[in-house]
Amino acid sequence: VLIGLIIEMFAIIASQSIPIGQRALFHQEPIPDLILAIGYYAMLMLGSYIMLRRYNYSLKQIFILGGIFGVILEQHGGVLLSIFEGNILGGIYVFLSYSSLIALPYLVFQKGFYKFKRKETIWKYLISLLILIGFYLLFLGYFLIVNPIVSS
């Protein structure tokens, strides 16, 4: 969650020159944005934990899966669409951000996952993406509840 908040702080700083309403943040103001980001990154980490506890992954596989998840869901699919419109660098940035976001905690805690009996199946990639998407949907529920509170 801490890594995600650091990434979010950089996004806030980078977007200060962009007019309010056009910023690609959870909220247009910094403090509410960080409050909402805590929920987002907590849900992402919970989903990642379940995914990593359930299935056996290499660091390379985690890195790629995290990047794909980020590109698909960042800005509700906007990054994926922007790649087809020529925004390759934006897609690479998001891919690397999400890859790091999931891979760095895995590097720190990977030995802890060895104590769990984990499965090996070809479906683990699809199931893991669905787990992450499920937690993304949980975040949307959190967002709908918390956003009106932090906006007032």
Side-chain angles (χ1 to χ4, degrees), residues 79-140:
V79 170
L80 180 62
L81 295 175
S82 75
I83 290 171
F84 294 112
E85 296 169 354
N87 185 14
I88 306 292
L89 287 178
I92 291 171
Y93 171 77
V94 168
F95 183 92
L96 293 174
S97 295
Y98 275 83
S99 294
S100 301
L101 192 63
I102 293 177
L104 287 175
Y106 173 76
L107 274 175
V108 173
F109 299 111
Q110 72 184 24
K111 288 184 181 171
F113 290 111
Y114 295 139
K115 67 182 177 184
F116 301 113
K117 189 173 185 179
R118 298 183 296 167
K119 299 176 184 175
E120 187 62 47
T121 174
I122 191 70
W123 295 101
K124 71 181 180 182
Y125 303 106
L126 178 60
I127 294 169
S128 294
L129 276 174
L130 291 174
I131 289 169
L132 291 173
I133 290 169
F135 276 90
Y136 176 78
L137 294 174
L138 284 174
F139 163 73
L140 291 179

Side-chain angles (χ1 to χ4, degrees), residues 63-83:
F63 192 83
I64 292 169
L65 189 63
I68 290 170
F69 169 77
V71 168
I72 291 171
L73 288 181
E74 180 68 21
Q75 297 177 20
H76 310 296
V79 170
L80 180 62
L81 295 175
S82 75
I83 290 171

Side-chain angles (χ1 to χ4, degrees), residues 3-12 25-26 33-34 37 41:
I3 296 167
L5 289 175
I6 292 169
I7 291 171
E8 195 66 25
M9 284 189 259
F10 281 119
I12 290 169
L25 301 169
F26 296 113
D33 180 71
L34 289 173
Y41 294 112

